[in-house]
Amino acid sequence: MTDAPAIDIAHLPHPAPVPGATREQAIADPGFGTVFTDHMISIDWDEGEGWHGATLGPREPITLDPAASVLHYAQEIFEGLKAYRLTDGTMALFRPDQNAARLNRSARRLAMPELPEDVFVEAVRQVVLKDSDWFPKVEGGSLYIRPFMFANEHFLGVRPAKKYKFLVILSPAGNYFKSGAPAVSVWVSEYTRAAPGGTGEAKCGGNYAASLVPTGEAFAQGHDQVVFLDAVERKWIEELGGMNLFFVFDDGTLVTPPLTGTILPGITRDSIITLAREEGLGVREERYSLDSWKEDAASGRLTETFACGTAAVVTAVGKVAGRDGNFTIGSGGPGQLTTKLRDRLVGIQRGTVEDTHGWVMRL
Ligand code: PMP
């Protein structure tokens, strides 16, 4: 980044960082989202001053007034991205400008203030560099980055709050799926996630609160993820609880559900569309029904299905189950195209495949 950031981030000393031995243990076996690094970025917003008071300081509890509006009307949005280590040892971010832009689209939908994109990226960059010694020591490890913003005005009227806080915290991450499965099994839920005109395309906490029961149902029945159908006809496939879906056909074309407002516009989804087209594959953003999924898997017209997102990158879907029965896709394991696209994307993220799009930001 050549331009100076629009805000100065003050660095506060940490009085008691996590002891080295504890940190070493955590990064040798990180899991997902349970261990956090020493520091965080914090930036405040209010009507008078706009964004101000940016600090990089100790990760610590935050004090909230019981009337803080986030606790009542859920004005909360977040992002999720990762810092990767390139093969030459440098840490890098993957398309962080896209996360910044998506946070601001979410902010607009939730009547929250937008954060300048360069401030978002600079905040992420600084905290990752500060806690780089928390980078996991496991194969495929990364530092998971969680930027988020919430309303902290204490006021109980139902209207957009006049005070917000933006924070960035980090968590060393290993494999997202507990099983580390080469292909996952998914459960088609009777619950829906998002209705037309709702908040489905925003990354707001409320969407995830509503997905917990359906996801719990999927887990209870031994599946790895939940599949949501559309809320109107209950027949069109939308996405998984935390990933977008792609369907691969025997003529080498791909289909992915269109961005009509009810699904999250995944940055991995967008990257896969670009990479697949570069491979000469046809990609159609169009609706695809659960009935077709089942029929096409049976006939062999559908050869692969994969899910994609920051957490699990690209993961094959091997088995699908729902109230109407089960079916298997292809051999039930990762297909050729899934593996090819995954390898290409992971290669770009790790610096072994040339980054012709300028997607990788070295730190
Ligand atoms: N859908 C949902 C509901 C998600 O939570 C995520 C994860 N952010 C995705 C899709 C994938 O998005 P991305 O590729 O940007 O991680």
Side-chain angles (χ1 to χ4, degrees):
M1 195 176 295
T2 48
D3 293 342
I7 199 161
D8 277 336
I9 300 175
H11 289 226
L12 304 181
H14 197 311
V18 171
T22 313
R23 185 184 66 230
E24 286 300 313
Q25 206 177 6
I27 62 182
D29 184 17
F32 184 81
T34 50
V35 177
F36 296 89
T37 71
D38 282 318
H39 294 87
M40 69 182 189
I41 292 271
S42 169
I43 316 180
D44 291 310
W45 186 93
D46 66 37
E47 274 198 328
E49 283 189 87
W51 290 107
H52 65 278
T55 56
L56 170 59
R59 179 184 176 275
E60 60 191 0
I62 43 184
T63 315
L64 280 185
D65 188 279
S69 38
V70 65
L71 301 177
H72 304 273
Y73 310 124
Q75 268 189 299
E76 192 272 351
I77 55 175
F78 65 100
E79 272 303 318
L81 68 164
K82 284 174 172 175
Y84 303 91
R85 207 180 275 291
L86 304 180
T87 40
D88 66 8
T90 322
M91 282 193 305
L93 304 173
F94 184 71
R95 309 186 74 184
D97 55 314
Q98 296 298 309
N99 294 94
R102 188 170 65 190
L103 183 88
N104 283 340
R105 292 199 300 274
S106 301
R108 288 198 287 275
R109 181 63 182 86
L110 276 283
M112 296 167 79
E114 293 181 41
L115 181 73
E117 285 184 23
D118 58 348
V119 174
F120 176 100
V121 174
E122 183 60 15
V124 166
R125 198 181 74 86
Q126 288 205 19
V127 69
V128 169
L129 286 174
K130 183 80 181 172
D131 280 342
S132 60
D133 53 354
W134 282 88
F135 201 96
K137 291 193 168 153
V138 294
E139 175 67 27
S142 57
L143 266 183
Y144 183 80
I145 306 162
R146 171 52 57 88
F148 60 110
M149 191 202 297
F150 60 90
N152 65 347
E153 183 192 5
H154 48 276
F155 174 70
L156 284 187
V158 181
R159 58 139 171 81
K162 295 181 177 177
K163 284 178 70 179
Y164 296 87
K165 199 177 258 304
F166 171 76
L167 300 173
V168 185
I169 57 172
L170 307 176
S171 172
N175 245 325
Y176 180 72
F177 287 110
K178 276 187 252 59
S179 49
V184 296
S185 156
V186 296
W187 167 256
V188 182
S189 184
E190 304 271 305
Y191 291 95
T192 59
R193 177 184 173 278
T199 58
E201 67 183 341
K203 203 160 168 61
C204 58
N207 288 345
Y208 295 81
S211 76
L212 298 177
V213 165
T215 303
E217 214 174 66
F219 288 170
Q221 304 195 48
H223 304 286
D224 302 291
Q225 270 278 340
V226 62
V227 182
F228 289 110
L229 300 180
D230 79 286
V232 178
E233 294 180 74
R234 307 283 190 107
K235 68 182 270 195
W236 305 104
I237 302 157
E238 298 233 294
E239 61 180 326
L240 301 187
M243 273 169 277
N244 295 115
L245 280 169
F246 280 82
F247 305 94
V248 182
F249 296 92
D250 58 358
D251 60 359
T253 60
L254 279 80
V255 163
T256 192
L259 301 179
T260 50
T262 54
I263 68 173
L264 195 85
I267 294 157
T268 320
R269 173 189 181 279
D270 183 74
S271 309
I272 290 286
I273 292 175
T274 303
L275 295 179
R277 287 187 176 146
E278 273 172 10
E279 294 283 334
L281 304 168
V283 184
R284 298 189 308 280
E285 295 179 64
E286 67 185 28
R287 298 199 294 182
Y288 188 58
S289 70
L290 175 61
D291 288 344
S292 303
W293 198 11
K294 195 172 183 176
E295 278 164 30
D296 294 343
S299 73
R301 190 172 102 81
L302 177 95
T303 51
E304 304 173 37
T305 299
F306 63 85
C308 68
T310 298
V313 197
V314 171
T315 302
V317 175
K319 292 200 172 110
V320 185
R323 297 262 147 74
D324 301 336
N326 305 349
F327 58 97
T328 302
I329 296 157
S331 62
Q336 258 184 3
L337 225 85
T338 300
T339 308
K340 187 173 180 178
L341 289 169
R342 182 192 163 92
D343 288 351
R344 225 177 124 69
L345 183 58
V346 172
I348 295 171
Q349 289 170 342
R350 310 274 159 168
T352 57
V353 170
E354 196 194 346
D355 171 29
T356 53
H357 301 280
W359 284 345
V360 174
M361 180 185 164
R362 287 170 171 264
L363 294 179

